[in-house]
């Protein structure tokens, strides 16, 4: 969870960004996320990959959508 310095967390979130690299750590964080992201208006899933790597955000967006979270 990243907030601006001195920022506060107001729920439900209006928007959120989820970093996804397909790792076990990312999957564990995603499994814990539905409660925090519930009611969020928009969730963007981003990936950053090294050259030649192939990581798709589809698994993450599918998981969130199954839990009623609007992810793109």
């Amino acid at each position: 969870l990243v907030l601006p310095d001195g920022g506060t967390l107001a729920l439900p979130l209006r928007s959120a960004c989820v970093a996804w690299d397909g790792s076990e750590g990312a999957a564990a964080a995603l499994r814990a996320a539905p409660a925090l992201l519930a009611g969020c208006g928009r969730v963007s899933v981003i990936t950053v990959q090294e050259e030649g790597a192939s990581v798709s955000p589809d698994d993450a967006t599918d998981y969130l959508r199954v839990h009623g979270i609007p992810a793109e």
Side-chain angles (χ1 to χ4, degrees):
L1 181 62
V2 177
L3 295 172
D5 191 28
T8 59
L9 183 63
L11 297 174
L13 300 173
R14 289 181 293 181
S15 63
C17 183
V18 174
W20 178 253
D21 65 2
S23 69
E24 285 297 319
L30 195 65
R31 286 191 299 271
L36 178 62
L37 299 176
C40 193
R42 185 182 78 198
V43 177
S44 298
V45 176
I46 62 166
T47 60
V48 177
Q49 357 183 342
E50 294 184 30
E51 189 174 334
S54 178
V55 175
S56 170
D58 293 344
D59 290 338
T61 56
D62 291 347
Y63 178 84
L64 292 171
R65 289 177 186 154
V66 164
H67 287 80
I69 296 165
E72 55 186 47

